[in-house]
Amino acid sequence: MTQTDLIARRERLLGPAYRLFYDEPAHFVRGEGVWLYDAAGEAYLDVYNNVASLGHCHPRVVAVITQQVNTLNTHTRYLHETILDCAETLLATLPDHIDRVMFTCSGSEANDLAVRIAEAYTGRTGIIVTELAYHGVTHAVSQMSPSLGEGVVRGPHIFTVPSPLSFAPEDRAAGFAQAMDEVIARMTRAGFPPALFICDTLFSSDGVISDPAGFLKPAVERVQAAGGLFVADEVQAGFGRTGEAMWGFQRHGLNPDLVSMGKPMGNGHPVAGVAMRAELIEQFGKKSRYFNTFGGNPVSSAAALAVLNVIADEGLITNAREVGAYLKDGLHMLSDHSDHVGEVRGTGLFFGVDIVTDGKPDGDRARQIVNYLRQHKVLISATGPHGNVLKIRPPLVFRPEHVDRLLAVLSAAVSNS
Ligand code: PMP
């Protein structure tokens, strides 16, 4: 079947809401480490996939999943050790006050549950998100995801703060805190005092905003002082991505009330969860039960436990820091040498690079660059309000030689654009 036939078949069977990457969509049949392979055996460098964070088909994760699938797969209504081993190992990576965890199948479900818990605890429904946030696909969290565009009807209880990118780095902490004060006052007047503020601690869909570390703290403290909870959405920033710590909120010195996580948690196996202070789940659990058919099953728990162990055993946080610093230097060099490469933001192995023309965001040029890279077998994407921010987010096992290859092709793409 040709590429065109496959695309037509996909559209006929799956409909138009699923979108493909690239002008010439890619079709892979196998993955290993940082490489994806097409049917002809051509290798593509994966500089985008934060789900297979340990590298595609990591042998230790594949082995524990295979072994557990061959042994037993049930659910959380039977006793089983692996979910508890996984919970203990996971909670040990979080601050002491975060001492309970519940498992789901997706980041969306984790955020959805976080909202229910926060509503039950505070008795409020007001929610604060950033203006281009993405928190998932359920009815409740899609409303908290303005980056999905106009197709999503937003309830009157959802309020947005401007993206931290609206403030210059030196004013970011104070400006974002003041914007938070304003939204808290506005929503309280409207009868929706905040139950929670949720943000992706690397602001991926807002255009990747990492610095200065600590800038989030005053704004989060404003929410907590107003009786709202802070949910750190670690679906993007968690599991060592920032190269500085296991969790993105740690580099901002925050004390979250709830921490949601997903994507890399099973290195491709669908497992996610939300961790929290004990009193929050105690309050929720008194009134409601929670059963998620697949969430926390023995196979998913084994996968998540293996991921945590591999991150520690292979020193992947340190690798993200060191290789990330090398990559960041290279991106800065590119920016110094090209008028079309603007600000470089990010940390660890997650970068956003502004593509500009005459200093203005240029989404078309960014799209050309992304497609040029795909033609030259390097996979990245673009994000941000104007679609002009290159999103560079490789597996954490990325090595300096992979950085060299990325930078060589990126530099040629920029010159050709
Ligand atoms: N939160 C953030 C910050 C995300 O990036 C995503 C996924 N892109 C989600 C939540 C939703 O996760 P999932 O797709 O697993 O439901």
PDB file of all heavy atoms in Angstrom, residues 116-123 276-289:
ATOM      1  N   ARG A 116     -10.839  16.862  40.418  1.00  0.00           N
ATOM      2  CA  ARG A 116     -11.909  16.349  41.299  1.00  0.00           C
ATOM      3  C   ARG A 116     -11.467  16.406  42.756  1.00  0.00           C
ATOM      4  O   ARG A 116     -12.241  16.771  43.644  1.00  0.00           O
ATOM      5  CB  ARG A 116     -12.253  14.909  40.910  1.00  0.00           C
ATOM      6  CG  ARG A 116     -12.974  14.818  39.575  1.00  0.00           C
ATOM      7  CD  ARG A 116     -13.284  13.373  39.215  1.00  0.00           C
ATOM      8  NE  ARG A 116     -14.161  12.740  40.195  1.00  0.00           N
ATOM      9  CZ  ARG A 116     -14.361  11.428  40.276  1.00  0.00           C
ATOM     10  NH1 ARG A 116     -13.737  10.604  39.449  1.00  0.00           N
ATOM     11  NH2 ARG A 116     -15.175  10.933  41.181  1.00  0.00           N
ATOM     12  N   ILE A 117     -10.223  16.031  43.008  1.00  0.00           N
ATOM     13  CA  ILE A 117      -9.720  16.024  44.390  1.00  0.00           C
ATOM     14  C   ILE A 117      -9.655  17.460  44.928  1.00  0.00           C
ATOM     15  O   ILE A 117     -10.051  17.732  46.068  1.00  0.00           O
ATOM     16  CB  ILE A 117      -8.337  15.333  44.442  1.00  0.00           C
ATOM     17  CG1 ILE A 117      -8.493  13.838  44.142  1.00  0.00           C
ATOM     18  CG2 ILE A 117      -7.661  15.539  45.797  1.00  0.00           C
ATOM     19  CD1 ILE A 117      -7.181  13.082  43.933  1.00  0.00           C
ATOM     20  N   ALA A 118      -9.185  18.378  44.097  1.00  0.00           N
ATOM     21  CA  ALA A 118      -9.071  19.778  44.539  1.00  0.00           C
ATOM     22  C   ALA A 118     -10.448  20.381  44.784  1.00  0.00           C
ATOM     23  O   ALA A 118     -10.644  21.127  45.751  1.00  0.00           O
ATOM     24  CB  ALA A 118      -8.311  20.589  43.488  1.00  0.00           C
ATOM     25  N   GLU A 119     -11.395  20.047  43.939  1.00  0.00           N
ATOM     26  CA  GLU A 119     -12.754  20.565  44.149  1.00  0.00           C
ATOM     27  C   GLU A 119     -13.335  20.021  45.453  1.00  0.00           C
ATOM     28  O   GLU A 119     -13.951  20.752  46.225  1.00  0.00           O
ATOM     29  CB  GLU A 119     -13.672  20.161  42.985  1.00  0.00           C
ATOM     30  CG  GLU A 119     -13.439  20.975  41.731  1.00  0.00           C
ATOM     31  CD  GLU A 119     -14.405  20.607  40.603  1.00  0.00           C
ATOM     32  OE1 GLU A 119     -15.185  19.629  40.755  1.00  0.00           O
ATOM     33  OE2 GLU A 119     -14.364  21.297  39.579  1.00  0.00           O
ATOM     34  N   ALA A 120     -13.143  18.714  45.680  1.00  0.00           N
ATOM     35  CA  ALA A 120     -13.697  18.103  46.893  1.00  0.00           C
ATOM     36  C   ALA A 120     -13.064  18.720  48.140  1.00  0.00           C
ATOM     37  O   ALA A 120     -13.735  18.959  49.149  1.00  0.00           O
ATOM     38  CB  ALA A 120     -13.460  16.597  46.873  1.00  0.00           C
ATOM     39  N   TYR A 121     -11.771  19.031  48.063  1.00  0.00           N
ATOM     40  CA  TYR A 121     -11.061  19.528  49.243  1.00  0.00           C
ATOM     41  C   TYR A 121     -11.407  20.994  49.525  1.00  0.00           C
ATOM     42  O   TYR A 121     -11.623  21.387  50.673  1.00  0.00           O
ATOM     43  CB  TYR A 121      -9.552  19.387  49.031  1.00  0.00           C
ATOM     44  CG  TYR A 121      -8.736  19.798  50.225  1.00  0.00           C
ATOM     45  CD1 TYR A 121      -8.616  18.954  51.331  1.00  0.00           C
ATOM     46  CD2 TYR A 121      -8.084  21.031  50.257  1.00  0.00           C
ATOM     47  CE1 TYR A 121      -7.861  19.324  52.433  1.00  0.00           C
ATOM     48  CE2 TYR A 121      -7.336  21.408  51.361  1.00  0.00           C
ATOM     49  CZ  TYR A 121      -7.229  20.557  52.447  1.00  0.00           C
ATOM     50  OH  TYR A 121      -6.489  20.924  53.535  1.00  0.00           O
ATOM     51  N   THR A 122     -11.461  21.791  48.479  1.00  0.00           N
ATOM     52  CA  THR A 122     -11.657  23.233  48.689  1.00  0.00           C
ATOM     53  C   THR A 122     -13.131  23.618  48.708  1.00  0.00           C
ATOM     54  O   THR A 122     -13.468  24.710  49.165  1.00  0.00           O
ATOM     55  CB  THR A 122     -10.979  24.047  47.563  1.00  0.00           C
ATOM     56  OG1 THR A 122     -11.571  23.669  46.312  1.00  0.00           O
ATOM     57  CG2 THR A 122      -9.481  23.806  47.517  1.00  0.00           C
ATOM     58  N   GLY A 123     -13.986  22.759  48.155  1.00  0.00           N
ATOM     59  CA  GLY A 123     -15.401  23.132  48.011  1.00  0.00           C
ATOM     60  C   GLY A 123     -15.581  24.230  46.968  1.00  0.00           C
ATOM     61  O   GLY A 123     -16.596  24.910  46.928  1.00  0.00           O
ATOM     62  N   MET A 276      -0.023  13.266  45.809  1.00  0.00           N
ATOM     63  CA  MET A 276      -0.605  14.396  46.562  1.00  0.00           C
ATOM     64  C   MET A 276      -0.350  14.260  48.048  1.00  0.00           C
ATOM     65  O   MET A 276       0.140  13.229  48.512  1.00  0.00           O
ATOM     66  CB  MET A 276      -2.104  14.442  46.298  1.00  0.00           C
ATOM     67  CG  MET A 276      -2.869  13.301  46.959  1.00  0.00           C
ATOM     68  SD  MET A 276      -4.241  12.730  45.987  1.00  0.00           S
ATOM     69  CE  MET A 276      -3.519  11.390  45.059  1.00  0.00           C
ATOM     70  N   ARG A 277      -0.766  15.319  48.770  1.00  0.00           N
ATOM     71  CA  ARG A 277      -0.719  15.275  50.228  1.00  0.00           C
ATOM     72  C   ARG A 277      -1.810  14.318  50.705  1.00  0.00           C
ATOM     73  O   ARG A 277      -2.918  14.293  50.150  1.00  0.00           O
ATOM     74  CB  ARG A 277      -0.997  16.671  50.800  1.00  0.00           C
ATOM     75  CG  ARG A 277       0.088  17.665  50.473  1.00  0.00           C
ATOM     76  CD  ARG A 277      -0.076  18.916  51.319  1.00  0.00           C
ATOM     77  NE  ARG A 277      -1.059  19.824  50.768  1.00  0.00           N
ATOM     78  CZ  ARG A 277      -2.140  20.252  51.428  1.00  0.00           C
ATOM     79  NH1 ARG A 277      -2.390  19.828  52.652  1.00  0.00           N
ATOM     80  NH2 ARG A 277      -2.965  21.106  50.867  1.00  0.00           N
ATOM     81  N   ALA A 278      -1.511  13.582  51.784  1.00  0.00           N
ATOM     82  CA  ALA A 278      -2.439  12.553  52.256  1.00  0.00           C
ATOM     83  C   ALA A 278      -3.824  13.115  52.551  1.00  0.00           C
ATOM     84  O   ALA A 278      -4.842  12.515  52.211  1.00  0.00           O
ATOM     85  CB  ALA A 278      -1.863  11.895  53.503  1.00  0.00           C
ATOM     86  N   GLU A 279      -3.879  14.301  53.179  1.00  0.00           N
ATOM     87  CA  GLU A 279      -5.202  14.804  53.606  1.00  0.00           C
ATOM     88  C   GLU A 279      -6.125  15.055  52.411  1.00  0.00           C
ATOM     89  O   GLU A 279      -7.346  15.006  52.537  1.00  0.00           O
ATOM     90  CB  GLU A 279      -5.069  16.063  54.462  1.00  0.00           C
ATOM     91  CG  GLU A 279      -4.430  17.197  53.741  1.00  0.00           C
ATOM     92  CD  GLU A 279      -4.399  18.495  54.561  1.00  0.00           C
ATOM     93  OE1 GLU A 279      -5.389  18.836  55.213  1.00  0.00           O
ATOM     94  OE2 GLU A 279      -3.351  19.161  54.503  1.00  0.00           O
ATOM     95  N   LEU A 280      -5.550  15.319  51.240  1.00  0.00           N
ATOM     96  CA  LEU A 280      -6.395  15.579  50.074  1.00  0.00           C
ATOM     97  C   LEU A 280      -7.142  14.326  49.649  1.00  0.00           C
ATOM     98  O   LEU A 280      -8.342  14.347  49.392  1.00  0.00           O
ATOM     99  CB  LEU A 280      -5.550  16.102  48.901  1.00  0.00           C
ATOM    100  CG  LEU A 280      -4.736  17.359  49.136  1.00  0.00           C
ATOM    101  CD1 LEU A 280      -4.056  17.801  47.852  1.00  0.00           C
ATOM    102  CD2 LEU A 280      -5.637  18.475  49.643  1.00  0.00           C
ATOM    103  N   ILE A 281      -6.414  13.226  49.578  1.00  0.00           N
ATOM    104  CA  ILE A 281      -7.076  12.002  49.112  1.00  0.00           C
ATOM    105  C   ILE A 281      -7.967  11.432  50.220  1.00  0.00           C
ATOM    106  O   ILE A 281      -8.987  10.794  49.936  1.00  0.00           O
ATOM    107  CB  ILE A 281      -6.055  10.959  48.572  1.00  0.00           C
ATOM    108  CG1 ILE A 281      -6.759   9.829  47.828  1.00  0.00           C
ATOM    109  CG2 ILE A 281      -5.156  10.421  49.634  1.00  0.00           C
ATOM    110  CD1 ILE A 281      -7.587  10.254  46.656  1.00  0.00           C
ATOM    111  N   GLU A 282      -7.592  11.713  51.476  1.00  0.00           N
ATOM    112  CA  GLU A 282      -8.460  11.226  52.552  1.00  0.00           C
ATOM    113  C   GLU A 282      -9.838  11.872  52.459  1.00  0.00           C
ATOM    114  O   GLU A 282     -10.864  11.201  52.546  1.00  0.00           O
ATOM    115  CB  GLU A 282      -7.822  11.471  53.916  1.00  0.00           C
ATOM    116  CG  GLU A 282      -7.268  10.169  54.484  1.00  0.00           C
ATOM    117  CD  GLU A 282      -5.857  10.291  55.012  1.00  0.00           C
ATOM    118  OE1 GLU A 282      -5.592  11.231  55.783  1.00  0.00           O
ATOM    119  OE2 GLU A 282      -5.012   9.451  54.623  1.00  0.00           O
ATOM    120  N   GLN A 283      -9.841  13.173  52.252  1.00  0.00           N
ATOM    121  CA  GLN A 283     -11.100  13.898  52.107  1.00  0.00           C
ATOM    122  C   GLN A 283     -11.908  13.364  50.917  1.00  0.00           C
ATOM    123  O   GLN A 283     -13.083  13.084  51.015  1.00  0.00           O
ATOM    124  CB  GLN A 283     -10.748  15.371  51.850  1.00  0.00           C
ATOM    125  CG  GLN A 283     -11.917  16.264  51.658  1.00  0.00           C
ATOM    126  CD  GLN A 283     -12.084  17.124  52.897  1.00  0.00           C
ATOM    127  OE1 GLN A 283     -11.521  16.817  53.955  1.00  0.00           O
ATOM    128  NE2 GLN A 283     -12.851  18.168  52.786  1.00  0.00           N
ATOM    129  N   PHE A 284     -11.240  13.195  49.779  1.00  0.00           N
ATOM    130  CA  PHE A 284     -11.898  12.726  48.554  1.00  0.00           C
ATOM    131  C   PHE A 284     -12.431  11.297  48.755  1.00  0.00           C
ATOM    132  O   PHE A 284     -13.568  10.983  48.407  1.00  0.00           O
ATOM    133  CB  PHE A 284     -10.883  12.764  47.407  1.00  0.00           C
ATOM    134  CG  PHE A 284     -11.404  12.279  46.081  1.00  0.00           C
ATOM    135  CD1 PHE A 284     -12.125  13.126  45.247  1.00  0.00           C
ATOM    136  CD2 PHE A 284     -11.154  10.972  45.644  1.00  0.00           C
ATOM    137  CE1 PHE A 284     -12.584  12.687  44.008  1.00  0.00           C
ATOM    138  CE2 PHE A 284     -11.611  10.533  44.406  1.00  0.00           C
ATOM    139  CZ  PHE A 284     -12.326  11.396  43.591  1.00  0.00           C
ATOM    140  N   GLY A 285     -11.558  10.460  49.347  1.00  0.00           N
ATOM    141  CA  GLY A 285     -11.890   9.043  49.496  1.00  0.00           C
ATOM    142  C   GLY A 285     -13.048   8.787  50.452  1.00  0.00           C
ATOM    143  O   GLY A 285     -13.712   7.755  50.371  1.00  0.00           O
ATOM    144  N   LYS A 286     -13.301   9.728  51.375  1.00  0.00           N
ATOM    145  CA  LYS A 286     -14.435   9.556  52.298  1.00  0.00           C
ATOM    146  C   LYS A 286     -15.745   9.595  51.540  1.00  0.00           C
ATOM    147  O   LYS A 286     -16.697   8.889  51.865  1.00  0.00           O
ATOM    148  CB  LYS A 286     -14.436  10.720  53.310  1.00  0.00           C
ATOM    149  CG  LYS A 286     -13.725  10.402  54.604  1.00  0.00           C
ATOM    150  CD  LYS A 286     -13.960  11.521  55.605  1.00  0.00           C
ATOM    151  CE  LYS A 286     -12.677  11.734  56.393  1.00  0.00           C
ATOM    152  NZ  LYS A 286     -12.414  13.103  56.762  1.00  0.00           N
ATOM    153  N   LYS A 287     -15.789  10.440  50.515  1.00  0.00           N
ATOM    154  CA  LYS A 287     -17.063  10.638  49.811  1.00  0.00           C
ATOM    155  C   LYS A 287     -17.151   9.856  48.504  1.00  0.00           C
ATOM    156  O   LYS A 287     -18.233   9.593  48.017  1.00  0.00           O
ATOM    157  CB  LYS A 287     -17.228  12.132  49.491  1.00  0.00           C
ATOM    158  CG  LYS A 287     -17.324  12.986  50.735  1.00  0.00           C
ATOM    159  CD  LYS A 287     -17.815  14.381  50.389  1.00  0.00           C
ATOM    160  CE  LYS A 287     -17.520  15.338  51.529  1.00  0.00           C
ATOM    161  NZ  LYS A 287     -17.014  16.613  51.109  1.00  0.00           N
ATOM    162  N   SER A 288     -16.000   9.561  47.896  1.00  0.00           N
ATOM    163  CA  SER A 288     -16.034   8.920  46.576  1.00  0.00           C
ATOM    164  C   SER A 288     -15.115   7.723  46.560  1.00  0.00           C
ATOM    165  O   SER A 288     -14.099   7.704  47.242  1.00  0.00           O
ATOM    166  CB  SER A 288     -15.509   9.861  45.494  1.00  0.00           C
ATOM    167  OG  SER A 288     -16.100  11.104  45.569  1.00  0.00           O
ATOM    168  N   ARG A 289     -15.451   6.769  45.703  1.00  0.00           N
ATOM    169  CA  ARG A 289     -14.465   5.723  45.438  1.00  0.00           C
ATOM    170  C   ARG A 289     -13.888   6.005  44.062  1.00  0.00           C
ATOM    171  O   ARG A 289     -14.491   6.748  43.271  1.00  0.00           O
ATOM    172  CB  ARG A 289     -15.079   4.334  45.544  1.00  0.00           C
ATOM    173  CG  ARG A 289     -16.090   4.033  44.489  1.00  0.00           C
ATOM    174  CD  ARG A 289     -16.837   2.734  44.779  1.00  0.00           C
ATOM    175  NE  ARG A 289     -18.033   2.700  43.953  1.00  0.00           N
ATOM    176  CZ  ARG A 289     -18.044   2.381  42.668  1.00  0.00           C
ATOM    177  NH1 ARG A 289     -16.926   2.050  42.063  1.00  0.00           N
ATOM    178  NH2 ARG A 289     -19.169   2.376  41.984  1.00  0.00           N
TER     179      ARG A 289
END
